[in-house]
């Protein structure tokens, strides 16, 4: 019997604001996973602290709601221990680009076979609206009535500069596209990064469904768009109107971290299968 | 019969290869039936400075150093100046640099102490023997071997074995050893000056020689550790080296992480998923790991972290020993949660305790911090037998049918834990306060119940842990109390001074949760209790006071980056 979308439901009632993008993100993710026939017992999800992290008990999985900024290394540790599990690191723009930016850079560089799902609502929402690297300049934010004094970081440009295995952008108002992109990201063998432009009716009010409707376009609308080409990816990203979504870039030739390890080359088991007393007799000879 | 001891010190600069000849000497002495202990001092730089390698030699097991040496082999003028004052009466100095000019004061000291000062033209001897300049070290080693009146064949075979897979001219190495040994500079009276300890041969080439970090790596491998997450920090780094160099053979996944936060998060993720993974660091790196230790405590995820200590706050003395991080091991991490703190003392205990640490972490589902010191991590210990392999105990359930919940409240405080797999019930590990099924909660009643459940584990665990061990005299007048490498020095001192005094030593291996019964018995009988610690404030003493209100009246504290030397204890006993 196949996996049903309802297998992923949890008994807990969501605590997000009405209109929060997380409702749709969760619905699309559950749909994608069930369509891929991945059961909740075959899924590991790590969660950050923030509104995304408040979804940890809204989806059934082997989950771990950890610490702020740390969902990526936590997911990597879990993934390396048992690659039979589909692994998703769930994180916000604050946790990913402030508290834990080092983890993102090294995850892309190392190319673990995991999916990093970035909820970008252009703020630290759960702590009531502080600025992040994606908050528009001059927008008054918590503690910064005149807005951020610094420049922004462009998430897609930053990620592309690390030469990722997979980068896609989607929008929380487009359930169907989100679902398809989640499937492609999970299916990609390598470090797949999905940035979701997330509606936040409380702290990101400028980003409305109406604005999105006018300004967001699917990259597939570009004739012969080639996601294998980093140049094409850069070209579509230099322009913010329209904002392109879809699979922006994919490099299928990058080897994964695990596959590059000499010590694991001939292993047919996973690390979780190997916890037993290992004989050290040969190793001891050196110390005699 | 009290133990006999002589000490040989190589002094030089970092990058001169004195570690290599130190290790060769240790291996050769062991083969020759001596018991040895080796201790390194070196500066935090790659080349230059003053570095030393001291080998203490005895007729009995020893695990600490003397502050003094009988023979000093100085490879630089600076090291001669630094260590001359440590050369004992009737001792020997060997130097091989023509530019060493002794001051009048030094000459007077040498004369007064009847020290033989020998110039060995090792560089020329090496060249004449067909070697190259750098082999002058090996010439000095050969010369020393002659002074020690040991069989040349043993040293030759040890040297050849050491270099056999390295890109060196083996014949030239051998010729240099022989040339040093047979050098015309040698005089029989040199050998007569050194009162060598008796030899004793036992099986398997006279046991093992290894560092504490070697033993930790071996223990981790025995315990089924399958992932090692590294970030370099002295003195823990050589565990990474061993794991990395043997990864192909052991199949262990070795990953150098971008920082300690990552390393420990990866370890926690791997442990959650059901393998065994290890991280090791020193104080500064441990600070970065402390949020994760708190998270492991709250989410009840097994975690083992090795904290090998050096001296000082901030960067301190980065390559020197100390035991000043007990406080952070006991208190690191926000909030209240159960943890276990264990301290090793030597190679054997490191091998055993790392295995026990994983069992405790998994059975009780909490963070275990295993304390070491540079003195343990990097010194070379010599012992007869490896301790037995500990049985792996994980405390996991195999089936998750029915109403089983991950954070179920139980009498012992220990909830069912299972290894994530397709055929089992998925669950959320949660750093938020949570209900029995792992869902986030904020209500008072369940918050209290869950906090109590976690603390209950400590109550269960405390009953299982052993009391501290009392070494030395069965009915002592004086008892030293300590943890870590202090044990080695105190026991060596008791062995050296056995007949004169009734001295005991109470050793804490399991520090938190603290066992106090044996200590309280000693307090009740009015024994003279002396706290000995390699830190400034007596951190174990403070923890004991926090637990039972007892304050040590006498404290012997040392915090200069040096370990306790045997004389530190013997001098204390004399006064």
């Amino acid at each position: 019997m196949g996996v049903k979308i309802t297998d992923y439901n949890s008994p807990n009632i969501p605590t997000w604001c009405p209109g929060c993008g997380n409702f749709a993100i969760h619905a699309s993710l559950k749909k994608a996973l069930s369509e891929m026939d991945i059961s909740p017992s075959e899924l590991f999800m790590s969660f950050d602290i923030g509104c995304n992290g408040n979804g940890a008990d809204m989806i059934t999985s082997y989950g771990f709601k950890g610490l702020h900024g740390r969902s990526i290394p936590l997911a990597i540790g879990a993934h390396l221990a048992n690659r039979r599990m589909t692994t998703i690191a769930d994180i916000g723009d604050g946790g990913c680009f402030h508290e834990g930016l080092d983890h993102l850079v090294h995850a892309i560089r190392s190319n673990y076979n995991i999916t990093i799902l970035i909820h970008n609502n252009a703020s630290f929402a759960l702590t009531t609206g502080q600025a992040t690297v994606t908050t528009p300049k001059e927008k008054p934010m918590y503690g910064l009535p005149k807005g951020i004094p610094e420049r922004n970081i462009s998430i897609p440009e930053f990620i592309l500069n690390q030469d990722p295995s997979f980068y896609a952008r989607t929008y929380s108002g487009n359930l169907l596209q989100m679902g398809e992109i989640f499937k492609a990201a999970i299916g990609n063998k390598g470090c797949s990064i999905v940035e979701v432009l997330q509606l936040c009716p409380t702290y990101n009010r400028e980003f409305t469904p109406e604005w999105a409707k006018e300004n967001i376009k699917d990259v597939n609308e570009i004739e012969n768009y080639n996601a294998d080409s980093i140049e094409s990816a850069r070209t579509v990203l230099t322009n913010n109107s329209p904002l392109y979504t879809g699979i922006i870039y994919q490099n299928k030739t990058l080897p994964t971290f695990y596959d590059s390890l000499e010590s694991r080359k001939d292993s047919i088991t996973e690390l979780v299968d190997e916890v037993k007393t290992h004989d050290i007799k040969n190793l001891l000879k050196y110390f005699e | 019969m009290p133990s006999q001891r002589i000490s040989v010190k190589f002094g030089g600069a970092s990058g001169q290869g004195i570690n290599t000849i130190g290790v060769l000497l240790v291996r050769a002495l062991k083969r020759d039936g001596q018991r040895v202990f080796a201790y390194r001092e070196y500066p935090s730089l790659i080349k230059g400075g003053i570095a030393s390698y001291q080998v203490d030699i005895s007729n009995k097991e020893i695990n600490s150093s003397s502050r003094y040496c009988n023979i000093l082999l100085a490879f630089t003028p600076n090291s001669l100046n630094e260590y001359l004052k440590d050369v004992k009466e009737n001792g020997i100095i060997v130097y091989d640099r023509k530019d060493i000019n002794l001051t009048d004061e030094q000459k007077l000291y040498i004369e007064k102490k009847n020290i033989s000062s020998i110039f060995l033209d090792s560089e020329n001897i090496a060249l004449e023997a067909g070697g190259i300049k750098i082999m002058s070290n090996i010439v000095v080693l050969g010369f020393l071997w002659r002074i020690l009146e040991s069989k040349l064949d043993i040293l030759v075979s040890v040297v050849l074995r050491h270099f056999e897979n390295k890109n060196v001219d083996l014949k030239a190495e051998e010729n240099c050893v022989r040339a040093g040994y047979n050098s015309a500079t040698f005089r029989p009276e040199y050998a007569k000056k050194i009162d060598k300890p008796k030899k004793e041969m036992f099986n398997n080439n006279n046991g093992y020689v290894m560092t504490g970090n070697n033993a930790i790596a071996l223990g981790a491998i025995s315990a089924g550790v399958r992932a090692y997450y590294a970030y370099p920090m002295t003195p823990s780094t050589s565990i990474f080296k061993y794991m990395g160099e043997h990864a192909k053979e052991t199949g262990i996944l070795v990953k150098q992480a971008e920082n300690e936060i990552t390393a420990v998060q990866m370890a926690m993720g791997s442990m959650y998923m059901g393998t065994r993974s290890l991280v090791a660091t020193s104080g500064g790196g441990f600070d970065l790991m402390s949020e994760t230790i708190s998270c492991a405590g709250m989410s009840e995820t097994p975690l083992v972290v090795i904290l090998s200590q050096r001296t000082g706050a901030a960067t301190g003395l980065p390559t020197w020993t100390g035991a000043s991080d007990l406080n952070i091991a006991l208190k690191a991490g926000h909030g209240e949660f159960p943890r276990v703190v264990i301290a090793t003392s030597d190679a054997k205990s490191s091998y055993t305790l790392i295995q026990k640490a994983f069992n405790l972490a998994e059975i009780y589902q909490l963070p275990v911090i295993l304390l070491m010191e540079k003195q343990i991590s990097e010194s070379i210990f010599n012992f007869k037998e490896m301790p037995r392999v500990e049985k792996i105990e994980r405390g996991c359930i195999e089936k998750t049918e029915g109403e089983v919940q991950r954070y179920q409240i139980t009498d012992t405080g220990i909830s069912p834990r299972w290894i994530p797999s397709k055929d089992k019930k998925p669950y959320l590990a949660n750093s938020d306060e949570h209900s029995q099924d792992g869902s986030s909660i904020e209500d008072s009643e369940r918050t209290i119940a869950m906090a109590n459940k976690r603390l209950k584990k400590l109550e269960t665990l405390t009953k299982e842990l052993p009391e501290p061990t009392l070494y030395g005299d069965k009915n002592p007048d004086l008892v030293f109390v300590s943890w870590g490498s202090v044990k080695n020095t105190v026991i060596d001192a008791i062995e050296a001074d056995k007949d004169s005094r009734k001295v005991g030593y109470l050793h804490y291996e399991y520090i938190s949760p603290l066992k106090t019964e044996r200590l309280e018995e000693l307090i009740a009988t009015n024994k003279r209790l002396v706290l000995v610690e390699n830190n400034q404030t007596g951190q174990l003493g403070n923890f004991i006071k926090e637990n039972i209100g007892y304050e040590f009246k006498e404290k012997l504290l040392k915090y200069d980056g040096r370990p306790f030397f045997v004389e530190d204890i013997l001098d204390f006993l004399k006064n």
Side-chain angles (χ1 to χ4, degrees), chain A residues 144-155:
Chain A
L144 294 169
K146 300 280 182 197
I148 48 170
E150 308 97 332
R151 289 173 287 173
N152 290 125
I153 288 176
S154 157
I155 290 181

Side-chain angles (χ1 to χ4, degrees), chain B residues 5 480 489-490 492-498 500-501 556 565-575:
Chain B
R5 176 192 291 253
F480 290 109
T489 316
V490 173
D492 283 0
I494 292 173
E495 281 290 321
D497 194 24
K498 215 175 198 169
S500 59
R501 227 173 250 266
L556 180 57
F565 297 117
V566 183
E567 292 81 3
D568 292 327
I569 304 300
L570 294 174
D571 289 352
F572 180 88
L573 288 172
K574 264 181 219 138
N575 298 329

Side-chain angles (χ1 to χ4, degrees), chain A residues 26-83:
Chain A
H26 269 237
S28 296
L29 183 61
K30 290 173 180 179
K31 182 170 179 288
L33 289 161
S34 56
E35 284 175 8
M36 293 178 86
D37 212 28
I38 296 165
S39 77
S41 288
E42 295 168 292
L43 173 67
F44 174 79
M45 278 191 82
S46 65
F47 294 88
D48 202 57
I49 301 305
C51 291
N52 72 87
N54 279 3
D57 54 5
M58 311 299 172
I59 178 168
T60 300
S61 73
Y62 281 113
F64 198 139
K65 184 178 180 185
L67 299 174
H68 184 46
R70 312 295 172 221
S71 79
I72 294 172
L74 182 63
I76 294 165
H79 157 70
L80 294 175
N82 186 355
R83 293 172 303 150

Side-chain angles (χ1 to χ4, degrees), chain B residues 60 84 146 184 241 303 382 390 448 451 462 538:
Chain B
K60 291 188 175 168
L84 179 60
R146 182 71 178 276
K241 180 181 161 80
L303 183 67
N382 171 211
E390 296 293 322
I448 293 169
T462 308

Side-chain angles (χ1 to χ4, degrees), chain B residues 160-458:
Chain B
L160 290 180
R161 187 181 167 212
H162 180 82
F163 288 112
E164 69 188 349
N165 293 319
K166 301 187 174 80
N167 186 25
V168 294
D169 181 350
L170 281 181
K171 194 69 206 159
E173 296 282 359
E174 178 176 349
N175 288 342
C176 286
V177 176
R178 292 183 185 281
Y181 190 88
N182 294 319
S183 160
T185 310
F186 176 76
R187 307 233 169 79
E189 62 255 36
Y190 300 153
K192 284 202 192 81
K193 288 186 93 172
I194 306 297
D195 200 5
K196 283 160 285 280
K198 284 212 169 59
K199 295 174 188 180
E200 178 203 0
M201 297 303 286
F202 40 90
N203 59 356
N204 71 347
N205 284 325
N206 275 14
Y208 300 93
V209 282
M210 67 175 73
T211 64
N213 280 357
N214 291 147
I216 282 288
L218 292 171
I221 294 164
S222 289
V225 165
R226 301 308 293 153
Y228 185 78
Y229 298 111
Y231 190 85
M233 188 166 186
T234 305
S236 68
T237 319
S238 59
I239 302 172
F240 171 30
K241 180 181 161 80
Y242 191 87
M243 289 300 202
E245 288 178 355
H246 296 83
K248 180 83 182 123
E249 193 175 342
T250 60
I252 288 176
L253 182 149
V254 178
K255 158 72 189 167
Q256 184 181 331
E258 60 268 23
N259 52 41
E260 288 92 344
I261 294 171
T262 307
V264 74
Q265 282 281 330
M266 286 176 171
M268 185 168 72
S270 289
M271 293 286 271
Y272 167 91
M273 199 51 94
T275 192
R276 284 184 163 186
S277 59
L278 180 63
V279 283
T281 185
S282 191
F286 187 81
D287 285 345
L288 293 175
M289 294 182 180
S290 60
E291 59 167 9
T292 303
I293 287 171
S294 170
C295 185
M298 183 60 154
S299 64
E300 304 198 47
T301 310
L303 183 67
V304 176
V305 177
I306 292 172
L307 165 50
S308 186
Q309 306 159 95
R310 53 204 216 185
T311 269
T315 308
L317 301 177
T319 57
W320 297 77
T321 200
S324 55
D325 292 337
L326 178 57
N327 284 348
I328 53 164
L330 294 169
K331 311 284 182 191
H334 52 288
E336 295 169 310
F337 57 90
R339 79 183 76 201
V340 175
V341 177
I342 312 174
T344 80
S345 55
D346 54 20
K348 279 200 288 189
S349 68
S350 296
Y351 177 76
T352 299
L353 291 174
I354 183 69
Q355 299 176 70
K356 298 240 191 213
F358 275 99
N359 286 349
L360 290 172
E362 291 213 273
I363 294 169
Y364 293 91
Q365 307 165 26
L366 40 65
V368 177
I369 297 144
L370 191 64
L371 284 160
M372 299 180 79
E373 300 152 34
K374 182 247 173 186
Q375 177 69 4
I376 304 164
S377 282
E378 296 190 350
S379 295
I380 293 189
F381 298 86
N382 171 211
F383 51 93
K384 279 188 184 180
E385 299 288 346
M386 283 302 287
R388 69 183 167 85
V389 176
E390 296 293 322
K391 185 169 174 271
I392 292 177
E393 292 175 64
R394 312 193 66 185
C396 290
I397 60 165
E398 293 301 323
K399 288 205 173 92
T400 57
E401 285 146 7
E403 289 306 297
V404 60
Q405 297 190 90
R406 174 62 188 94
Y407 296 110
Q408 211 162 305
I409 290 173
T410 63
D411 292 344
T412 57
I414 302 168
S415 304
R417 182 176 78 93
W418 58 95
I419 290 169
S421 75
K422 194 179 170 177
D423 58 348
K424 295 195 183 74
K425 186 169 160 176
Y427 72 87
L428 177 68
N430 203 339
S431 73
D432 276 31
E433 191 55 277
H434 39 265
S435 63
Q436 296 187 62
D437 75 353
S439 300
S440 299
I441 56 159
E442 292 185 346
D443 61 280
S444 158
E445 195 183 326
R446 285 185 296 174
T447 299
I448 293 169
M450 202 47 74
N452 288 348
K453 181 199 93 75
R454 285 191 296 271
L455 220 57
K456 182 88 186 170
K457 292 194 291 187
L458 267 196

Side-chain angles (χ1 to χ4, degrees), chain A residues 5 24-36 88 115 117 166 168-187 194 196 246-247:
Chain A
I5 187 168
I25 294 173
H26 269 237
S28 296
L29 183 61
K30 290 173 180 179
K31 182 170 179 288
L33 289 161
S34 56
E35 284 175 8
M36 293 178 86
I88 299 172
T115 298
L117 174 50
F166 180 103
R169 180 159 63 181
T170 180
Y171 157 54
S172 72
N174 188 344
L175 272 85
L176 290 179
Q177 188 199 41
M178 267 197 291
E180 291 309 308
I181 283 179
F182 291 153
K183 282 198 270 185
I186 292 165
V194 180
V196 183
I247 300 170

